[in-house]
Amino acid sequence: MEIQKTLSRVICFCLPLLYSTVLAMDVEAQAPNRSTIAVASDGDVGIWLMNDNGGGARLILPIDGNPMPSGLVWSPDGTMIAFHTEIDKNVDIYVVNGDGENLRKLTEHESEDSWPTWHPSGQKIAFHTNRDGNLEIYTMTSRGDILDNLTNDAVKDHYPAWSPDARRIAFASKRGKTLGDIFLMSQNGEILENLTNVRGEDFQPRWSWDGKQIAWTSARNGAAEIWAMDADGANTRQISDLQDPKAAGFRVREPSWSPDGKLIASAALGGGSATIRVHSAKGNLNWMDLQAIGAQDRSPAWFDPKFVVEFSVTPVEKRPMTWGWVKQIVQDD
């Protein structure tokens, strides 16, 4: 009996470790080997990768779609990119390996399915869809099997963003009396809190990699700007500054955090073009534009493999990656 118990403990330890090792090998094969920003561009229409300083742009996935792909987001381990685009007359969600190989369609519905966000395990994706007649937030497996309608409300609920601890989903909603606020719900759909609750539309929330902050797009001052706040709604600050003469006539959307939390990339739209703009996350309104790929560069998504290594063994409060996530599942069981 004691031998069986010992053998059971060895198996429980070794199987997750083996899974982690295989997953790490897969990451090494497909994920970028340096800090990288994925971008949708019309340089040649498709998904591009660039270095985090804007150099080294290379096309990894040409797409014959209209409009351009949008809503790009890396899987937690950096092996895949999820996005939405219109191919065959429908807007659907797709995933592709981080090297541009193995494109797969996850949804196939006459409605619009868009704005994917990964569960930290990489096993589920939340997205918004109007397949029920108005925008709702659904979940599906990473293979595309539909799981649940989380919001199921008469108002518009959209732009989900899964927290790094997997417990919460930030999203935009027209619940209440405003044009749209940033809300939190549990991963099961229980509404937890209205974080913004101000006049003007707030949408497109994105979590920082450590789960301590949220950036989002807000039109509270008229044109769309990037704002940021702590995850509890405190320390609200404006990140982009369209009052700057250099930014006149632009709208700034689609925030994406640098893995170290110091910078926020976005798409700045104006004058018939779109540029990837990188802002300081401190709220001092400093920014710079990255080198253009085409006339339209949008939907930046940042990934850094060093961050995955640093947090590869973590408690649930951190970003659970590979072995850390497997260990949590074993402990929960």
Side-chain angles (χ1 to χ4, degrees):
M1 182 64 69
E2 185 62 32
I3 293 176
Q4 290 178 335
K5 290 182 179 179
T6 301
L7 181 60
S8 177
R9 286 196 292 267
V10 170
I11 291 174
C12 287
F13 176 81
C14 291
L15 282 180
L17 186 58
L18 178 61
Y19 175 84
S20 175
T21 301
V22 172
L23 186 57
M25 292 169 60
D26 191 46
V27 169
E28 184 177 355
Q30 297 180 12
N33 59 11
R34 58 167 295 170
S35 184
T36 301
I37 300 176
V39 175
S41 178
D42 67 353
D44 282 312
V45 176
I47 295 177
W48 294 65
L49 301 185
M50 63 168 62
N51 302 334
D52 58 10
N53 62 6
R58 60 267 190 207
L59 178 67
I60 64 166
L61 181 67
I63 294 179
D64 183 17
N66 184 29
M68 286 167 39
S70 190
L72 276 59
V73 59
W74 288 96
S75 63
D77 60 10
T79 62
M80 292 179 283
I81 300 171
F83 62 96
H84 65 264
T85 192
E86 182 179 340
I87 300 176
D88 300 328
K89 299 181 180 180
N90 290 323
V91 178
D92 286 299
I93 293 174
Y94 295 77
V95 293
V96 66
N97 291 356
D99 57 7
E101 298 295 324
N102 195 21
L103 177 67
R104 290 92 77 195
K105 179 190 283 190
L106 295 189
T107 64
E108 189 161 3
H109 198 276
E110 61 186 12
S111 66
E112 177 181 331
D113 299 327
S114 54
W115 203 257
T117 178
W118 294 86
H119 185 281
S121 69
Q123 300 303 306
K124 291 193 292 186
I125 292 174
F127 64 102
H128 72 227
T129 176
N130 61 0
R131 61 181 64 198
D132 288 334
N134 71 306
L135 284 174
E136 303 281 8
I137 295 172
Y138 274 65
T139 58
M140 62 180 166
T141 69
S142 58
R143 298 182 303 273
D145 303 316
I146 300 297
L147 298 175
D148 197 14
N149 177 348
L150 291 182
T151 50
N152 197 22
D153 194 275
V155 302
K156 181 188 293 186
D157 298 313
H158 53 156
Y159 296 114
W162 224 310
S163 67
D165 66 5
R167 294 172 176 169
R168 297 161 293 172
I169 297 175
F171 67 105
S173 177
K174 292 184 178 293
R175 299 164 190 260
K177 298 180 180 180
T178 65
L179 295 175
D181 287 321
I182 304 301
F183 283 76
L184 290 181
M185 64 177 162
S186 72
Q187 60 177 327
N188 297 321
E190 176 189 0
I191 302 300
L192 301 176
E193 187 178 1
N194 180 343
L195 292 180
T196 53
N197 197 24
V198 298
R199 185 178 181 84
E201 184 177 8
D202 296 325
F203 56 105
Q204 295 178 336
R206 287 296 192 197
W207 294 84
S208 61
W209 285 51
D210 61 7
K212 295 180 179 180
Q213 300 180 83
I214 297 173
W216 78 98
T217 304
S218 179
R220 62 185 61 192
N221 291 336
E225 302 257 24
I226 303 300
W227 288 65
M229 61 184 165
D230 295 345
D232 61 1
N235 191 26
T236 298
R237 58 202 186 275
Q238 184 176 335
I239 300 300
S240 63
D241 182 15
L242 297 182
Q243 302 304 313
D244 187 316
K246 295 181 295 182
F250 279 81
R251 308 183 313 280
V252 191
R253 303 166 59 98
E254 301 178 305
S256 176
W257 290 86
S258 66
D260 62 11
K262 295 179 180 179
L263 301 170
I264 299 174
S266 68
L269 290 70
S273 66
T275 303
I276 303 304
R277 183 164 291 175
V278 177
H279 315 261
S280 166
K282 293 181 178 179
N284 57 16
L285 306 182
N286 290 337
W287 55 270
M288 63 173 289
D289 288 338
L290 298 185
Q291 181 177 339
I293 299 173
Q296 297 279 337
D297 297 340
R298 302 187 59 171
S299 293
W302 216 314
F303 178 78
D304 190 335
K306 292 186 297 184
F307 186 87
V308 176
V309 172
E310 290 168 1
F311 289 92
S312 60
V313 180
T314 68
V316 70
E317 288 78 10
K318 300 290 186 181
R319 185 178 184 85
M321 303 294 294
T322 55
W323 165 240
W325 181 259
V326 174
K327 187 170 74 170
Q328 179 189 327
I329 294 175
V330 172
Q331 290 172 343
D332 289 346
D333 291 342

